[in-house]
Amino acid sequence: METIIIKATERSPEVNFDFDANTFAIKGESYPEDVTEFYGDLLLKLELHLSNLNGETVNFTFELIYFNSSSAKVLMSLFDMLEEIAEEGNTVNVVWLYESDDDNMEELGEEFGEDLEAANFKMKTTEG
Amino acid sequence: MLATDMYKFRNYLRETGIIFCYSGYMTEDVLLGLGKAIKQKMVMDDEDKETAKAVFSIFVEQVQNVIRYSAEKETKDDVAELRYGVLTVGRQDNKVFVTCGNVIRNEDRERLKKNLTNIQKMNKDELKKLWKDTLRGKIPDGSKGAGVGFIDIARRTCQGFEFDFSEVDEEISFFTLKAYI
C-alpha cells in the first residue's frame, strides 16, 4: 500500500504511515472537527494491512501534545489492534514520546501501554 | 445607557472571577478560536503547563458536549445544526474554573445525574477503569448520559467538579457543570 503522509494542522496530527516499511507515526495535536472523518479511513487501511502480516516487525510511534476524548477512542483501538497482531506472532514495537515536563501525557502513555503484553512498549521523552 | 449596561454586565462577570464568557451557538470554529485565546491567557498568567493543559482539555470536552448534545438547537434545511450553550472560564480562590451550561431534555436528566454522581464519587483507579471500558465501547457512549467526555473531565479536574439542573418547564431543564483546576 502507498505511504500515507498527512500534514499536521492546528487540531489534527501529522500522520506518517509507511506500509512497506511497517513504520507508522502519529504526531501532534488531536482534536479534529470530525474524528471519524479524520481517522476512519486511516484505521480501515491500517487494519487491512496489519491483519495480513505474518512474522513481520511493526514500529508505531505516538508523539502527541494533546488529544481529546474522541481521539482517545481511536488511540485505544490502535493499541488493541497492535496488541492483537503481536499476539499473532508479529514483533510490534510501540513508542510513546512525551515532553519531559508533561506529566499528564506521560501518565496517559503509561495507561495505554500497561495493557500491552505481547507488543513491546517504550516511553521516551522528546528531549531524548 | 448602552455603555452603562454593558459596563455593568462586564463588571458583574469580573466580580464573579470570569475571564472568558461565551453565550451562543457553539461550533467547532468557535471552539478553535476560544481555545487559542484561553491558551494565550494561560501563558500570560504564567499558569504552569499542567494547569494550562488541564484547563484547555476540560474546555474542549465541555464545548464538544454542547456541540453534540445541547437540546437547544437550530436546524435549517441541510445546513449543519447549531447548538446553544454558555461557557465561562475564570478564577476563584486561586483555582481556575471552566463552567458550561446548556439545555437538556427532562427525560435525560435522571440518567445524567446518576452517571455524574457516580463519576464524582470514583477514585483515580475506578475512573481509569471506567475510562478504558468506555473507550473500548464496553459501556455505551454517545448516549445522552455521561459519555467519555465527562469521564475525561473528572480525570482532569484537580479540585473536582459540581453540577446542577434547573427545570425550565415540563419538557426541558438547564444543566450546568463547573470543573475546578
Side-chain angles (χ1 to χ4, degrees), chain A residues 11 65 99 102 104 107, chain B residues 28 49 53 124 156:
Chain A
R11 60 191 307 172
I65 299 163
E99 291 176 346
D102 193 343
N104 184 253
E107 199 178 340
Chain B
E28 288 291 337
K49 194 171 173 174
K53 288 191 88 168
K124 205 170 176 252
R156 277 287 192 152

Side-chain angles (χ1 to χ4, degrees), chain A residues 22-124:
Chain A
N22 279 320
T23 302
F24 306 92
I26 297 179
K27 179 182 177 175
E29 304 264 0
S30 183
Y31 56 115
E33 189 162 336
D34 186 334
V35 168
T36 315
E37 193 185 308
F38 186 80
Y39 285 108
D41 194 40
L42 282 170
L43 286 185
L44 279 177
K45 282 183 175 148
L46 188 68
E47 193 164 21
L48 182 70
H49 174 80
L50 294 179
S51 64
N52 287 321
L53 296 183
N54 205 340
E56 306 261 2
T57 299
V58 174
N59 296 301
F60 210 115
T61 307
F62 296 90
E63 187 180 346
L64 294 156
I65 299 163
Y66 164 72
F67 57 88
N68 68 347
S69 62
S70 322
S71 302
K73 275 190 203 171
V74 173
L75 295 178
M76 186 57 96
S77 64
L78 282 172
F79 270 76
D80 286 348
M81 207 188 282
L82 291 164
E83 173 68 6
E84 202 175 306
I85 61 153
E87 280 168 4
E88 287 163 1
N90 296 288
T91 303
V92 179
N93 303 312
V94 181
V95 177
W96 184 271
L97 283 163
Y98 62 97
E99 291 176 346
S100 58
D101 61 347
D102 193 343
D103 294 346
N104 184 253
M105 206 42 81
E106 180 179 1
E107 199 178 340
L108 287 162
E110 281 162 2
E111 289 175 343
F112 279 116
E114 69 191 10
D115 295 337
L116 296 180
E117 284 172 11
N120 305 311
F121 182 70
K122 248 190 204 152
M123 306 263 303
K124 275 187 199 168

